[in-house]
Amino acid sequence: MRDEVPMDFARPFTDQSFFLIAGPCVIESREHAHLMASSLRDLAEARGIPFIYKSSFDKANRTSRESHRGPGMEGGLDILAEIRSRYGVPVLTDVHESDQCAPAAQAVDVLQIPAFLCRQTDLLLAAAATGRTVNLKKGQFLAPWDLKHGVEKLQSVPGHGPVWVTERGSSFGYGNLVVDFQSFPHLRKTGCPVVFDATHSVQKPGALGHATGGAREMIPSLARAAATAVDGFFFEVHDCPEKAWSDGPNAMRLEQFGALLDELLILWRAGRAAALQDAAGK
């Protein structure tokens, strides 16, 4: 059994900081994974932010069959386990099929259920059965109050681990997503830590014809707006989004990420202080 990375996954944020899930959409190479993991760890560590590195070994829901999907499960999990060991950070990856859950759980700390699959009962049960933390992303088609059913499926499994819930926007007509900020208090009713995926929320599905587009310039505005309502943030980050294998148009630039984290910490701490004040006055 591998060594555990110290982290309270039931309450991953601290009194002074939200927790951060960040990394490139898909594993592009071992070298690139090390570059991104070390850079992001340093940015988070310098600010006292609990950090989970994320990247996918396979992107099974790409728009086109010709799009890059990643190195596959065996090679990808080997890279993620190496990142985890070398940098001492927890690691998150997507799972798309039930039989991927147990092998992935041997290499990573958090299994993520993609938004399109948030109602897939067998997948949820298999992920929960590993005992690992599960990050359940709200489907673009789902009302926020209906995500509780997915949470209940996960928590029905004996020995399940902590569950997180993530908002990533809702479909609005064709080719656009909208974040309803009323979603956050509804998600909080699940009793799970609430995460905002600020980068997938600016996707433009199918906008490039062969791939999904995005409005990268909107990421900071949405993240700042959500800062007082969430426990954690999810960002896809890349050193050169124009060359990213997946989700480049909606990836945050690495060189700009530290400044955004500084802004979010100020807003998050102000919101947390106000919430504690309100609670004390009741």
Side-chain angles (χ1 to χ4, degrees), residues 69-96:
R69 289 183 53 168
M73 186 163 66
E74 184 176 352
L77 292 179
D78 180 66
I79 291 171
L80 293 174
E82 184 176 292
I83 293 295
R84 184 183 188 279
S85 174
R86 180 168 300 186
Y87 301 107
V89 297
V91 174
L92 172 152
T93 198
D94 293 298
V95 286
H96 295 87

mmCIF file with all atom_site columns, all heavy atoms in Angstrom, residues 69-96:
data_model
loop_
_atom_site.group_PDB
_atom_site.id
_atom_site.type_symbol
_atom_site.label_atom_id
_atom_site.label_alt_id
_atom_site.label_comp_id
_atom_site.label_asym_id
_atom_site.label_entity_id
_atom_site.label_seq_id
_atom_site.pdbx_PDB_ins_code
_atom_site.Cartn_x
_atom_site.Cartn_y
_atom_site.Cartn_z
_atom_site.occupancy
_atom_site.B_iso_or_equiv
_atom_site.pdbx_formal_charge
_atom_site.auth_seq_id
_atom_site.auth_comp_id
_atom_site.auth_asym_id
_atom_site.auth_atom_id
_atom_site.pdbx_PDB_model_num
ATOM 1   N N   . ARG A 1 69 ? -6.442  12.065 -26.493 1.00 0.00 ? 69 ARG A N   1
ATOM 2   C CA  . ARG A 1 69 ? -7.132  11.561 -25.315 1.00 0.00 ? 69 ARG A CA  1
ATOM 3   C C   . ARG A 1 69 ? -6.214  11.353 -24.122 1.00 0.00 ? 69 ARG A C   1
ATOM 4   O O   . ARG A 1 69 ? -6.678  11.223 -22.993 1.00 0.00 ? 69 ARG A O   1
ATOM 5   C CB  . ARG A 1 69 ? -7.831  10.237 -25.655 1.00 0.00 ? 69 ARG A CB  1
ATOM 6   C CG  . ARG A 1 69 ? -9.024  10.416 -26.566 1.00 0.00 ? 69 ARG A CG  1
ATOM 7   C CD  . ARG A 1 69 ? -9.735  9.118  -26.819 1.00 0.00 ? 69 ARG A CD  1
ATOM 8   N NE  . ARG A 1 69 ? -10.101 8.398  -25.615 1.00 0.00 ? 69 ARG A NE  1
ATOM 9   C CZ  . ARG A 1 69 ? -10.931 7.350  -25.585 1.00 0.00 ? 69 ARG A CZ  1
ATOM 10  N NH1 . ARG A 1 69 ? -11.466 6.924  -26.716 1.00 0.00 ? 69 ARG A NH1 1
ATOM 11  N NH2 . ARG A 1 69 ? -11.204 6.742  -24.454 1.00 0.00 ? 69 ARG A NH2 1
ATOM 12  N N   . GLY A 1 70 ? -4.912  11.310 -24.336 1.00 0.00 ? 70 GLY A N   1
ATOM 13  C CA  . GLY A 1 70 ? -3.992  11.094 -23.233 1.00 0.00 ? 70 GLY A CA  1
ATOM 14  C C   . GLY A 1 70 ? -3.250  9.779  -23.374 1.00 0.00 ? 70 GLY A C   1
ATOM 15  O O   . GLY A 1 70 ? -3.455  9.030  -24.338 1.00 0.00 ? 70 GLY A O   1
ATOM 16  N N   . PRO A 1 71 ? -2.376  9.464  -22.413 1.00 0.00 ? 71 PRO A N   1
ATOM 17  C CA  . PRO A 1 71 ? -1.520  8.282  -22.527 1.00 0.00 ? 71 PRO A CA  1
ATOM 18  C C   . PRO A 1 71 ? -2.200  6.959  -22.199 1.00 0.00 ? 71 PRO A C   1
ATOM 19  O O   . PRO A 1 71 ? -1.592  5.899  -22.340 1.00 0.00 ? 71 PRO A O   1
ATOM 20  C CB  . PRO A 1 71 ? -0.404  8.578  -21.518 1.00 0.00 ? 71 PRO A CB  1
ATOM 21  C CG  . PRO A 1 71 ? -1.077  9.416  -20.480 1.00 0.00 ? 71 PRO A CG  1
ATOM 22  C CD  . PRO A 1 71 ? -2.083  10.258 -21.227 1.00 0.00 ? 71 PRO A CD  1
ATOM 23  N N   . GLY A 1 72 ? -3.432  6.993  -21.725 1.00 0.00 ? 72 GLY A N   1
ATOM 24  C CA  . GLY A 1 72 ? -4.104  5.770  -21.317 1.00 0.00 ? 72 GLY A CA  1
ATOM 25  C C   . GLY A 1 72 ? -3.895  5.493  -19.840 1.00 0.00 ? 72 GLY A C   1
ATOM 26  O O   . GLY A 1 72 ? -3.109  6.163  -19.164 1.00 0.00 ? 72 GLY A O   1
ATOM 27  N N   . MET A 1 73 ? -4.613  4.502  -19.331 1.00 0.00 ? 73 MET A N   1
ATOM 28  C CA  . MET A 1 73 ? -4.662  4.290  -17.892 1.00 0.00 ? 73 MET A CA  1
ATOM 29  C C   . MET A 1 73 ? -3.316  3.846  -17.306 1.00 0.00 ? 73 MET A C   1
ATOM 30  O O   . MET A 1 73 ? -2.824  4.437  -16.341 1.00 0.00 ? 73 MET A O   1
ATOM 31  C CB  . MET A 1 73 ? -5.749  3.276  -17.529 1.00 0.00 ? 73 MET A CB  1
ATOM 32  C CG  . MET A 1 73 ? -5.939  3.138  -16.027 1.00 0.00 ? 73 MET A CG  1
ATOM 33  S SD  . MET A 1 73 ? -7.489  2.353  -15.568 1.00 0.00 ? 73 MET A SD  1
ATOM 34  C CE  . MET A 1 73 ? -7.226  0.707  -16.203 1.00 0.00 ? 73 MET A CE  1
ATOM 35  N N   . GLU A 1 74 ? -2.690  2.830  -17.882 1.00 0.00 ? 74 GLU A N   1
ATOM 36  C CA  . GLU A 1 74 ? -1.464  2.307  -17.284 1.00 0.00 ? 74 GLU A CA  1
ATOM 37  C C   . GLU A 1 74 ? -0.357  3.351  -17.260 1.00 0.00 ? 74 GLU A C   1
ATOM 38  O O   . GLU A 1 74 ? 0.237   3.637  -16.213 1.00 0.00 ? 74 GLU A O   1
ATOM 39  C CB  . GLU A 1 74 ? -0.993  1.055  -18.038 1.00 0.00 ? 74 GLU A CB  1
ATOM 40  C CG  . GLU A 1 74 ? 0.230   0.407  -17.402 1.00 0.00 ? 74 GLU A CG  1
ATOM 41  C CD  . GLU A 1 74 ? 0.630   -0.887 -18.100 1.00 0.00 ? 74 GLU A CD  1
ATOM 42  O OE1 . GLU A 1 74 ? -0.125  -1.362 -18.970 1.00 0.00 ? 74 GLU A OE1 1
ATOM 43  O OE2 . GLU A 1 74 ? 1.701   -1.423 -17.758 1.00 0.00 ? 74 GLU A OE2 1
ATOM 44  N N   . GLY A 1 75 ? -0.066  3.943  -18.409 1.00 0.00 ? 75 GLY A N   1
ATOM 45  C CA  . GLY A 1 75 ? 0.986   4.950  -18.478 1.00 0.00 ? 75 GLY A CA  1
ATOM 46  C C   . GLY A 1 75 ? 0.645   6.207  -17.704 1.00 0.00 ? 75 GLY A C   1
ATOM 47  O O   . GLY A 1 75 ? 1.503   6.802  -17.042 1.00 0.00 ? 75 GLY A O   1
ATOM 48  N N   . GLY A 1 76 ? -0.621  6.620  -17.780 1.00 0.00 ? 76 GLY A N   1
ATOM 49  C CA  . GLY A 1 76 ? -1.036  7.833  -17.097 1.00 0.00 ? 76 GLY A CA  1
ATOM 50  C C   . GLY A 1 76 ? -0.997  7.707  -15.590 1.00 0.00 ? 76 GLY A C   1
ATOM 51  O O   . GLY A 1 76 ? -0.536  8.617  -14.889 1.00 0.00 ? 76 GLY A O   1
ATOM 52  N N   . LEU A 1 77 ? -1.461  6.590  -15.069 1.00 0.00 ? 77 LEU A N   1
ATOM 53  C CA  . LEU A 1 77 ? -1.443  6.397  -13.624 1.00 0.00 ? 77 LEU A CA  1
ATOM 54  C C   . LEU A 1 77 ? -0.019  6.305  -13.093 1.00 0.00 ? 77 LEU A C   1
ATOM 55  O O   . LEU A 1 77 ? 0.276   6.742  -11.978 1.00 0.00 ? 77 LEU A O   1
ATOM 56  C CB  . LEU A 1 77 ? -2.244  5.155  -13.235 1.00 0.00 ? 77 LEU A CB  1
ATOM 57  C CG  . LEU A 1 77 ? -3.760  5.252  -13.452 1.00 0.00 ? 77 LEU A CG  1
ATOM 58  C CD1 . LEU A 1 77 ? -4.433  3.948  -13.061 1.00 0.00 ? 77 LEU A CD1 1
ATOM 59  C CD2 . LEU A 1 77 ? -4.359  6.421  -12.661 1.00 0.00 ? 77 LEU A CD2 1
ATOM 60  N N   . ASP A 1 78 ? 0.875   5.738  -13.886 1.00 0.00 ? 78 ASP A N   1
ATOM 61  C CA  . ASP A 1 78 ? 2.281   5.686  -13.492 1.00 0.00 ? 78 ASP A CA  1
ATOM 62  C C   . ASP A 1 78 ? 2.851   7.096  -13.333 1.00 0.00 ? 78 ASP A C   1
ATOM 63  O O   . ASP A 1 78 ? 3.574   7.379  -12.368 1.00 0.00 ? 78 ASP A O   1
ATOM 64  C CB  . ASP A 1 78 ? 3.078   4.905  -14.534 1.00 0.00 ? 78 ASP A CB  1
ATOM 65  C CG  . ASP A 1 78 ? 4.551   4.809  -14.181 1.00 0.00 ? 78 ASP A CG  1
ATOM 66  O OD1 . ASP A 1 78 ? 4.886   4.154  -13.169 1.00 0.00 ? 78 ASP A OD1 1
ATOM 67  O OD2 . ASP A 1 78 ? 5.379   5.409  -14.898 1.00 0.00 ? 78 ASP A OD2 1
ATOM 68  N N   . ILE A 1 79 ? 2.518   7.987  -14.260 1.00 0.00 ? 79 ILE A N   1
ATOM 69  C CA  . ILE A 1 79 ? 2.985   9.375  -14.179 1.00 0.00 ? 79 ILE A CA  1
ATOM 70  C C   . ILE A 1 79 ? 2.373   10.073 -12.963 1.00 0.00 ? 79 ILE A C   1
ATOM 71  O O   . ILE A 1 79 ? 3.067   10.772 -12.214 1.00 0.00 ? 79 ILE A O   1
ATOM 72  C CB  . ILE A 1 79 ? 2.647   10.131 -15.475 1.00 0.00 ? 79 ILE A CB  1
ATOM 73  C CG1 . ILE A 1 79 ? 3.488   9.586  -16.627 1.00 0.00 ? 79 ILE A CG1 1
ATOM 74  C CG2 . ILE A 1 79 ? 2.865   11.629 -15.305 1.00 0.00 ? 79 ILE A CG2 1
ATOM 75  C CD1 . ILE A 1 79 ? 3.079   10.109 -17.995 1.00 0.00 ? 79 ILE A CD1 1
ATOM 76  N N   . LEU A 1 80 ? 1.086   9.888  -12.736 1.00 0.00 ? 80 LEU A N   1
ATOM 77  C CA  . LEU A 1 80 ? 0.422   10.543 -11.614 1.00 0.00 ? 80 LEU A CA  1
ATOM 78  C C   . LEU A 1 80 ? 0.961   10.047 -10.281 1.00 0.00 ? 80 LEU A C   1
ATOM 79  O O   . LEU A 1 80 ? 1.157   10.834 -9.336  1.00 0.00 ? 80 LEU A O   1
ATOM 80  C CB  . LEU A 1 80 ? -1.086  10.336 -11.697 1.00 0.00 ? 80 LEU A CB  1
ATOM 81  C CG  . LEU A 1 80 ? -1.785  11.035 -12.866 1.00 0.00 ? 80 LEU A CG  1
ATOM 82  C CD1 . LEU A 1 80 ? -3.258  10.645 -12.920 1.00 0.00 ? 80 LEU A CD1 1
ATOM 83  C CD2 . LEU A 1 80 ? -1.645  12.555 -12.774 1.00 0.00 ? 80 LEU A CD2 1
ATOM 84  N N   . ALA A 1 81 ? 1.228   8.751  -10.171 1.00 0.00 ? 81 ALA A N   1
ATOM 85  C CA  . ALA A 1 81 ? 1.806   8.214  -8.936  1.00 0.00 ? 81 ALA A CA  1
ATOM 86  C C   . ALA A 1 81 ? 3.204   8.791  -8.696  1.00 0.00 ? 81 ALA A C   1
ATOM 87  O O   . ALA A 1 81 ? 3.592   9.071  -7.555  1.00 0.00 ? 81 ALA A O   1
ATOM 88  C CB  . ALA A 1 81 ? 1.863   6.693  -9.004  1.00 0.00 ? 81 ALA A CB  1
ATOM 89  N N   . GLU A 1 82 ? 3.951   8.980  -9.768  1.00 0.00 ? 82 GLU A N   1
ATOM 90  C CA  . GLU A 1 82 ? 5.287   9.562  -9.657  1.00 0.00 ? 82 GLU A CA  1
ATOM 91  C C   . GLU A 1 82 ? 5.208   11.018 -9.197  1.00 0.00 ? 82 GLU A C   1
ATOM 92  O O   . GLU A 1 82 ? 6.002   11.455 -8.344  1.00 0.00 ? 82 GLU A O   1
ATOM 93  C CB  . GLU A 1 82 ? 5.996   9.478  -11.000 1.00 0.00 ? 82 GLU A CB  1
ATOM 94  C CG  . GLU A 1 82 ? 7.433   9.969  -11.002 1.00 0.00 ? 82 GLU A CG  1
ATOM 95  C CD  . GLU A 1 82 ? 8.088   9.754  -12.361 1.00 0.00 ? 82 GLU A CD  1
ATOM 96  O OE1 . GLU A 1 82 ? 8.298   8.578  -12.725 1.00 0.00 ? 82 GLU A OE1 1
ATOM 97  O OE2 . GLU A 1 82 ? 8.374   10.760 -13.041 1.00 0.00 ? 82 GLU A OE2 1
ATOM 98  N N   . ILE A 1 83 ? 4.256   11.770 -9.747  1.00 0.00 ? 83 ILE A N   1
ATOM 99  C CA  . ILE A 1 83 ? 4.045   13.163 -9.335  1.00 0.00 ? 83 ILE A CA  1
ATOM 100 C C   . ILE A 1 83 ? 3.711   13.217 -7.855  1.00 0.00 ? 83 ILE A C   1
ATOM 101 O O   . ILE A 1 83 ? 4.262   14.029 -7.084  1.00 0.00 ? 83 ILE A O   1
ATOM 102 C CB  . ILE A 1 83 ? 2.898   13.804 -10.158 1.00 0.00 ? 83 ILE A CB  1
ATOM 103 C CG1 . ILE A 1 83 ? 3.290   13.965 -11.625 1.00 0.00 ? 83 ILE A CG1 1
ATOM 104 C CG2 . ILE A 1 83 ? 2.456   15.131 -9.541  1.00 0.00 ? 83 ILE A CG2 1
ATOM 105 C CD1 . ILE A 1 83 ? 4.417   14.921 -11.884 1.00 0.00 ? 83 ILE A CD1 1
ATOM 106 N N   . ARG A 1 84 ? 2.826   12.360 -7.441  1.00 0.00 ? 84 ARG A N   1
ATOM 107 C CA  . ARG A 1 84 ? 2.380   12.302 -6.050  1.00 0.00 ? 84 ARG A CA  1
ATOM 108 C C   . ARG A 1 84 ? 3.547   12.054 -5.101  1.00 0.00 ? 84 ARG A C   1
ATOM 109 O O   . ARG A 1 84 ? 3.694   12.689 -4.058  1.00 0.00 ? 84 ARG A O   1
ATOM 110 C CB  . ARG A 1 84 ? 1.342   11.190 -5.931  1.00 0.00 ? 84 ARG A CB  1
ATOM 111 C CG  . ARG A 1 84 ? 0.699   11.062 -4.583  1.00 0.00 ? 84 ARG A CG  1
ATOM 112 C CD  . ARG A 1 84 ? -0.254  9.878  -4.608  1.00 0.00 ? 84 ARG A CD  1
ATOM 113 N NE  . ARG A 1 84 ? -1.031  9.847  -3.390  1.00 0.00 ? 84 ARG A NE  1
ATOM 114 C CZ  . ARG A 1 84 ? -0.582  9.352  -2.248  1.00 0.00 ? 84 ARG A CZ  1
ATOM 115 N NH1 . ARG A 1 84 ? 0.631   8.863  -2.164  1.00 0.00 ? 84 ARG A NH1 1
ATOM 116 N NH2 . ARG A 1 84 ? -1.363  9.368  -1.175  1.00 0.00 ? 84 ARG A NH2 1
ATOM 117 N N   . SER A 1 85 ? 4.386   11.091 -5.481  1.00 0.00 ? 85 SER A N   1
ATOM 118 C CA  . SER A 1 85 ? 5.514   10.713 -4.643  1.00 0.00 ? 85 SER A CA  1
ATOM 119 C C   . SER A 1 85 ? 6.597   11.792 -4.615  1.00 0.00 ? 85 SER A C   1
ATOM 120 O O   . SER A 1 85 ? 7.118   12.138 -3.553  1.00 0.00 ? 85 SER A O   1
ATOM 121 C CB  . SER A 1 85 ? 6.107   9.394  -5.154  1.00 0.00 ? 85 SER A CB  1
ATOM 122 O OG  . SER A 1 85 ? 7.277   9.053  -4.449  1.00 0.00 ? 85 SER A OG  1
ATOM 123 N N   . ARG A 1 86 ? 6.928   12.329 -5.774  1.00 0.00 ? 86 ARG A N   1
ATOM 124 C CA  . ARG A 1 86 ? 8.042   13.280 -5.836  1.00 0.00 ? 86 ARG A CA  1
ATOM 125 C C   . ARG A 1 86 ? 7.721   14.614 -5.187  1.00 0.00 ? 86 ARG A C   1
ATOM 126 O O   . ARG A 1 86 ? 8.574   15.204 -4.513  1.00 0.00 ? 86 ARG A O   1
ATOM 127 C CB  . ARG A 1 86 ? 8.458   13.506 -7.288  1.00 0.00 ? 86 ARG A CB  1
ATOM 128 C CG  . ARG A 1 86 ? 9.617   14.506 -7.426  1.00 0.00 ? 86 ARG A CG  1
ATOM 129 C CD  . ARG A 1 86 ? 10.219  14.524 -8.799  1.00 0.00 ? 86 ARG A CD  1
ATOM 130 N NE  . ARG A 1 86 ? 10.752  13.229 -9.193  1.00 0.00 ? 86 ARG A NE  1
ATOM 131 C CZ  . ARG A 1 86 ? 11.433  13.012 -10.319 1.00 0.00 ? 86 ARG A CZ  1
ATOM 132 N NH1 . ARG A 1 86 ? 11.657  14.028 -11.152 1.00 0.00 ? 86 ARG A NH1 1
ATOM 133 N NH2 . ARG A 1 86 ? 11.875  11.811 -10.618 1.00 0.00 ? 86 ARG A NH2 1
ATOM 134 N N   . TYR A 1 87 ? 6.501   15.102 -5.372  1.00 0.00 ? 87 TYR A N   1
ATOM 135 C CA  . TYR A 1 87 ? 6.178   16.444 -4.893  1.00 0.00 ? 87 TYR A CA  1
ATOM 136 C C   . TYR A 1 87 ? 5.357   16.446 -3.604  1.00 0.00 ? 87 TYR A C   1
ATOM 137 O O   . TYR A 1 87 ? 5.085   17.513 -3.052  1.00 0.00 ? 87 TYR A O   1
ATOM 138 C CB  . TYR A 1 87 ? 5.462   17.233 -5.991  1.00 0.00 ? 87 TYR A CB  1
ATOM 139 C CG  . TYR A 1 87 ? 6.315   17.349 -7.228  1.00 0.00 ? 87 TYR A CG  1
ATOM 140 C CD1 . TYR A 1 87 ? 6.011   16.616 -8.378  1.00 0.00 ? 87 TYR A CD1 1
ATOM 141 C CD2 . TYR A 1 87 ? 7.463   18.142 -7.241  1.00 0.00 ? 87 TYR A CD2 1
ATOM 142 C CE1 . TYR A 1 87 ? 6.807   16.687 -9.501  1.00 0.00 ? 87 TYR A CE1 1
ATOM 143 C CE2 . TYR A 1 87 ? 8.267   18.208 -8.363  1.00 0.00 ? 87 TYR A CE2 1
ATOM 144 C CZ  . TYR A 1 87 ? 7.940   17.479 -9.495  1.00 0.00 ? 87 TYR A CZ  1
ATOM 145 O OH  . TYR A 1 87 ? 8.751   17.549 -10.603 1.00 0.00 ? 87 TYR A OH  1
ATOM 146 N N   . GLY A 1 88 ? 4.974   15.278 -3.133  1.00 0.00 ? 88 GLY A N   1
ATOM 147 C CA  . GLY A 1 88 ? 4.265   15.189 -1.865  1.00 0.00 ? 88 GLY A CA  1
ATOM 148 C C   . GLY A 1 88 ? 2.911   15.854 -1.868  1.00 0.00 ? 88 GLY A C   1
ATOM 149 O O   . GLY A 1 88 ? 2.476   16.415 -0.859  1.00 0.00 ? 88 GLY A O   1
ATOM 150 N N   . VAL A 1 89 ? 2.230   15.816 -3.025  1.00 0.00 ? 89 VAL A N   1
ATOM 151 C CA  . VAL A 1 89 ? 0.910   16.441 -3.128  1.00 0.00 ? 89 VAL A CA  1
ATOM 152 C C   . VAL A 1 89 ? -0.137  15.380 -3.466  1.00 0.00 ? 89 VAL A C   1
ATOM 153 O O   . VAL A 1 89 ? 0.161   14.404 -4.162  1.00 0.00 ? 89 VAL A O   1
ATOM 154 C CB  . VAL A 1 89 ? 0.881   17.546 -4.204  1.00 0.00 ? 89 VAL A CB  1
ATOM 155 C CG1 . VAL A 1 89 ? 1.835   18.677 -3.836  1.00 0.00 ? 89 VAL A CG1 1
ATOM 156 C CG2 . VAL A 1 89 ? 1.216   16.995 -5.586  1.00 0.00 ? 89 VAL A CG2 1
ATOM 157 N N   . PRO A 1 90 ? -1.361  15.553 -2.989  1.00 0.00 ? 90 PRO A N   1
ATOM 158 C CA  . PRO A 1 90 ? -2.444  14.669 -3.426  1.00 0.00 ? 90 PRO A CA  1
ATOM 159 C C   . PRO A 1 90 ? -2.704  14.858 -4.915  1.00 0.00 ? 90 PRO A C   1
ATOM 160 O O   . PRO A 1 90 ? -2.430  15.919 -5.475  1.00 0.00 ? 90 PRO A O   1
ATOM 161 C CB  . PRO A 1 90 ? -3.653  15.117 -2.596  1.00 0.00 ? 90 PRO A CB  1
ATOM 162 C CG  . PRO A 1 90 ? -3.102  15.975 -1.513  1.00 0.00 ? 90 PRO A CG  1
ATOM 163 C CD  . PRO A 1 90 ? -1.832  16.566 -2.026  1.00 0.00 ? 90 PRO A CD  1
ATOM 164 N N   . VAL A 1 91 ? -3.266  13.839 -5.535  1.00 0.00 ? 91 VAL A N   1
ATOM 165 C CA  . VAL A 1 91 ? -3.501  13.855 -6.978  1.00 0.00 ? 91 VAL A CA  1
ATOM 166 C C   . VAL A 1 91 ? -4.940  13.431 -7.270  1.00 0.00 ? 91 VAL A C   1
ATOM 167 O O   . VAL A 1 91 ? -5.494  12.549 -6.600  1.00 0.00 ? 91 VAL A O   1
ATOM 168 C CB  . VAL A 1 91 ? -2.509  12.918 -7.700  1.00 0.00 ? 91 VAL A CB  1
ATOM 169 C CG1 . VAL A 1 91 ? -2.838  12.810 -9.184  1.00 0.00 ? 91 VAL A CG1 1
ATOM 170 C CG2 . VAL A 1 91 ? -1.077  13.429 -7.526  1.00 0.00 ? 91 VAL A CG2 1
ATOM 171 N N   . LEU A 1 92 ? -5.532  14.068 -8.274  1.00 0.00 ? 92 LEU A N   1
ATOM 172 C CA  . LEU A 1 92 ? -6.902  13.790 -8.720  1.00 0.00 ? 92 LEU A CA  1
ATOM 173 C C   . LEU A 1 92 ? -6.882  13.421 -10.194 1.00 0.00 ? 92 LEU A C   1
ATOM 174 O O   . LEU A 1 92 ? -6.137  14.010 -10.976 1.00 0.00 ? 92 LEU A O   1
ATOM 175 C CB  . LEU A 1 92 ? -7.773  15.017 -8.474  1.00 0.00 ? 92 LEU A CB  1
ATOM 176 C CG  . LEU A 1 92 ? -9.198  15.063 -9.019  1.00 0.00 ? 92 LEU A CG  1
ATOM 177 C CD1 . LEU A 1 92 ? -10.064 15.970 -8.135  1.00 0.00 ? 92 LEU A CD1 1
ATOM 178 C CD2 . LEU A 1 92 ? -9.268  15.572 -10.468 1.00 0.00 ? 92 LEU A CD2 1
ATOM 179 N N   . THR A 1 93 ? -7.722  12.463 -10.572 1.00 0.00 ? 93 THR A N   1
ATOM 180 C CA  . THR A 1 93 ? -7.902  12.150 -11.988 1.00 0.00 ? 93 THR A CA  1
ATOM 181 C C   . THR A 1 93 ? -9.336  11.715 -12.251 1.00 0.00 ? 93 THR A C   1
ATOM 182 O O   . THR A 1 93 ? -10.039 11.261 -11.347 1.00 0.00 ? 93 THR A O   1
ATOM 183 C CB  . THR A 1 93 ? -6.909  11.066 -12.458 1.00 0.00 ? 93 THR A CB  1
ATOM 184 O OG1 . THR A 1 93 ? -6.821  11.079 -13.887 1.00 0.00 ? 93 THR A OG1 1
ATOM 185 C CG2 . THR A 1 93 ? -7.322  9.669  -11.993 1.00 0.00 ? 93 THR A CG2 1
ATOM 186 N N   . ASP A 1 94 ? -9.767  11.858 -13.497 1.00 0.00 ? 94 ASP A N   1
ATOM 187 C CA  . ASP A 1 94 ? -11.108 11.434 -13.908 1.00 0.00 ? 94 ASP A CA  1
ATOM 188 C C   . ASP A 1 94 ? -11.171 9.924  -14.078 1.00 0.00 ? 94 ASP A C   1
ATOM 189 O O   . ASP A 1 94 ? -10.187 9.284  -14.484 1.00 0.00 ? 94 ASP A O   1
ATOM 190 C CB  . ASP A 1 94 ? -11.475 12.044 -15.272 1.00 0.00 ? 94 ASP A CB  1
ATOM 191 C CG  . ASP A 1 94 ? -11.627 13.548 -15.214 1.00 0.00 ? 94 ASP A CG  1
ATOM 192 O OD1 . ASP A 1 94 ? -12.510 14.022 -14.491 1.00 0.00 ? 94 ASP A OD1 1
ATOM 193 O OD2 . ASP A 1 94 ? -10.860 14.237 -15.903 1.00 0.00 ? 94 ASP A OD2 1
ATOM 194 N N   . VAL A 1 95 ? -12.338 9.358  -13.809 1.00 0.00 ? 95 VAL A N   1
ATOM 195 C CA  . VAL A 1 95 ? -12.641 7.980  -14.186 1.00 0.00 ? 95 VAL A CA  1
ATOM 196 C C   . VAL A 1 95 ? -13.920 8.004  -15.009 1.00 0.00 ? 95 VAL A C   1
ATOM 197 O O   . VAL A 1 95 ? -14.849 8.746  -14.708 1.00 0.00 ? 95 VAL A O   1
ATOM 198 C CB  . VAL A 1 95 ? -12.792 7.057  -12.959 1.00 0.00 ? 95 VAL A CB  1
ATOM 199 C CG1 . VAL A 1 95 ? -11.443 6.758  -12.343 1.00 0.00 ? 95 VAL A CG1 1
ATOM 200 C CG2 . VAL A 1 95 ? -13.732 7.651  -11.912 1.00 0.00 ? 95 VAL A CG2 1
ATOM 201 N N   . HIS A 1 96 ? -13.947 7.199  -16.072 1.00 0.00 ? 96 HIS A N   1
ATOM 202 C CA  . HIS A 1 96 ? -15.094 7.198  -16.980 1.00 0.00 ? 96 HIS A CA  1
ATOM 203 C C   . HIS A 1 96 ? -15.864 5.882  -16.962 1.00 0.00 ? 96 HIS A C   1
ATOM 204 O O   . HIS A 1 96 ? -17.014 5.836  -17.394 1.00 0.00 ? 96 HIS A O   1
ATOM 205 C CB  . HIS A 1 96 ? -14.636 7.469  -18.417 1.00 0.00 ? 96 HIS A CB  1
ATOM 206 C CG  . HIS A 1 96 ? -14.064 8.840  -18.613 1.00 0.00 ? 96 HIS A CG  1
ATOM 207 N ND1 . HIS A 1 96 ? -12.732 9.132  -18.386 1.00 0.00 ? 96 HIS A ND1 1
ATOM 208 C CD2 . HIS A 1 96 ? -14.648 10.011 -19.012 1.00 0.00 ? 96 HIS A CD2 1
ATOM 209 C CE1 . HIS A 1 96 ? -12.513 10.415 -18.640 1.00 0.00 ? 96 HIS A CE1 1
ATOM 210 N NE2 . HIS A 1 96 ? -13.655 10.965 -19.018 1.00 0.00 ? 96 HIS A NE2 1
#
